[in-house]
Amino acid sequence: MRNVKIVSTGSYVPQKILTNQDLSKRVETSDEWIVSRTGIRERRVIAKGQTCSDLAFEASKSALQKAGLSPEDLDMIILATLTPDKRLPASANFLQEKLGAKNAAVFDINVACSGFVYGMSIAMQYIRTGEMKHVLVVGAEVMTEILNWKDRGTCILFGDGAGAAILGPAEASDEHELLSTHLFSNGALWPLLNIPAGGTEMPWTAEVFERGDHLVQMKGKEVFKEAVKSMISASEIALRKANLKISDIDVFIPHQANLRIIDAISKRLDFPKEKIFVNVDKYGNTSAASIPLALDEAVRTSFIKKGNLILIVTFGAGFAWGSALVKW
Ligand SMILES: CC(C)(COP(=O)(O)OP(=O)(O)OC[C@H]1O[C@@H](n2cnc3c(N)ncnc32)[C@H](O)[C@@H]1OP(=O)(O)O)[C@@H](O)C(=O)NCCC(=O)NCCS
């Protein structure tokens, strides 16, 4: 079995900024409420006509450039998204075409906010066995298109963006090794966070649009509790399996959903806040883009340094959650 490394990362966010102040003109809320309950100050919104694959394309281009690879070098593209360009075909096909990655097998995965970590885990198996060499994993979301802008409990939380990583085989002396991934799910909890309509169970109708059933619905308090519990457990399992202690971790990259969730995890794990990478204040929850957007920014700003042991932990609708260990 071959070892696997993160060859490079890239990310992209749309230019347009939507501040809490802007939101307070749309729904009954305030900057003070949003910051104190979530830590979010602003989020990005797509320009008119911009799509999931457009955001994915920009993030992927940047990752390819940093890796010194051409699109033809990619053997596989995994695009994690719950906001695809179209219902058919997969947005990975649009991304493939935009990149000119003609040698790649491509597909989408929908594991909501945990999609990127699931994508890395899939890529890892193909590279380990020698079946594939370079796999592009992307998380890209246009969350602002599926939010109910009348529901102040959800519309304040999410934003648009994309992050990407190219995974490839590692030699023994290589840096940036992806050491492990750990995936978990519990389908019984789907009612807490979902979009009721638009699938075969409840097709779109005028009534559906009237009720807002084509948009995100969430029971915030319950999701909050599950997110904290699940991300703590995924962190502990990753550490236990690697025979590590929490004090061995240099950098913690949690899913950027809510600063209070991150604070609760850091408290329960007894992990110092200064080692936790946070950018939820600038982008809100970008779902599948959250982890790769944070990872790329942490690399670019040297928050992550050579030799650092990184614990990544994710959580989202499904519910699906997971963790990954990386030696940078
Ligand atoms: C959504 C969330 C911020 C709400 O915070 P909360 O402390 O749980 O707040 P509650 O839902 O209990 O609401 C408390 C009050 O604030 C009000 N409120 C909700 N959203 C508000 C907003 N944007 N502005 C002002 N008031 C708001 C509620 O109506 C409620 O008022 P009431 O007491 O008069 O009924 C929080 O539950 C959360 O972040 N959950 C996790 C969501 C998440 O991360 N989802 C994605 C996971 S991948």
Side-chain angles (χ1 to χ4, degrees), residues 246 249-252 266-267 269-273 275-276:
I246 191 73
I249 300 298
D250 301 301
V251 172
F252 184 46
S266 105
K267 208 165 153 188
L269 288 176
D270 197 15
F271 191 76
K273 278 189 188 171
K275 291 185 178 181
I276 305 177

Side-chain angles (χ1 to χ4, degrees), residues 10 38 42 50 79 92 98 159 163 193-194 196 198 211 220 224 244 253 255 288 299 305 312 318 320-321:
T38 71
E42 58 188 44
Q50 237 178 350
L79 174 55
K98 282 171 188 170
L193 178 50
N194 71 102
R211 288 197 302 269
F224 190 108
L244 292 167
I253 302 187
H255 173 44
V299 170
K305 295 177 186 64
I312 293 171
W321 63 101

Side-chain angles (χ1 to χ4, degrees), residues 27-30 33-34 37-38 113 151-154 156-158 193 218-225 227 255 257-258 260-261 285 315-317:
V27 285
E28 206 186 319
T29 190
S30 64
W33 195 95
I34 300 174
R37 301 290 175 118
T38 71
C113 299
D151 176 10
R152 63 180 183 172
T154 52
I156 58 152
L157 296 172
F158 299 92
L193 178 50
M218 182 181 70
K219 298 212 172 7
K221 261 200 194 324
E222 286 93 330
V223 173
F224 190 108
K225 283 184 209 147
H255 173 44
N258 178 325
R260 278 169 54 226
I261 293 178
N285 182 347
F315 173 84

